[in-house]
Amino acid sequence: MATVKLHVKKNDMVKIIAGKEKGKTGKVLRVFPAKGRVVVENLNVIKRHTRPSQKNQEGGIIEKEAAISVSNVMLVCGSCNEATRTGVRVLEDGSKARYCKKCNAIVDK
Ligand SMILES: [Zn+2]
């Protein structure tokens, strides 16, 4: 199975560019490359009603972030603080790093 290369990674700050939470920013908690989806901290929170279980004796409502499509988020650059597209640059040591297309700063430390 081909793995889709996502433009964001875990711990990136991203901005939501579509949907009901458009304009909000948050930190990427998980990525699902095969599905092209990401989970962003405190965004797209859904309420899930649960029955009492051994883990959760009370049951009730659990709030949990639902994955959103990676095409609905943009990386927020740590240097210029703007939602931006990234390119990939080969560094002097041969490793690859993403850079901000707005301010040219390297995004990957
Ligand atoms: Zn930038």
Side-chain angles (χ1 to χ4, degrees), residues 72-88:
N72 287 348
V73 304
M74 269 182 103
L75 185 75
V76 174
C77 171
S79 295
C80 64
N81 230 358
E82 300 219 33
T84 182
R85 291 183 185 279
T86 55
V88 174

Side-chain angles (χ1 to χ4, degrees), residues 75-91 96-109:
L75 185 75
V76 174
C77 171
S79 295
C80 64
N81 230 358
E82 300 219 33
T84 182
R85 291 183 185 279
T86 55
V88 174
R89 183 180 291 164
V90 180
L91 303 180
K96 288 179 182 169
R98 292 172 304 167
Y99 71 95
C100 169
K101 284 193 172 174
K102 285 199 170 145
C103 71
N104 274 328
I106 297 292
V107 175
D108 293 311
K109 300 287 169 348

Side-chain angles (χ1 to χ4, degrees), residues 5-69:
K5 186 91 174 106
L6 301 184
H7 65 276
V8 295
K9 295 199 289 199
K10 191 177 169 184
N11 294 328
D12 278 348
M13 286 300 292
V14 294
K15 185 172 194 172
I16 311 296
I17 55 168
K20 65 180 163 78
E21 309 219 61
K22 187 175 173 179
K24 293 184 182 175
T25 56
K27 190 172 82 173
V28 174
L29 298 179
R30 295 185 69 186
V31 295
F32 301 97
K35 292 180 184 166
R37 297 179 87 78
V38 294
V39 172
V40 183
E41 191 174 32
N42 294 325
L43 291 179
N44 201 31
V45 174
I46 52 163
K47 287 181 178 159
R48 188 171 282 169
H49 296 263
T50 57
R51 292 162 184 275
S53 66
Q54 282 197 322
K55 243 183 177 178
N56 179 354
Q57 305 245 334
E58 304 255 308
I61 299 168
I62 290 180
E63 296 197 348
K64 197 172 184 299
E65 294 97 343
I68 52 180
S69 172

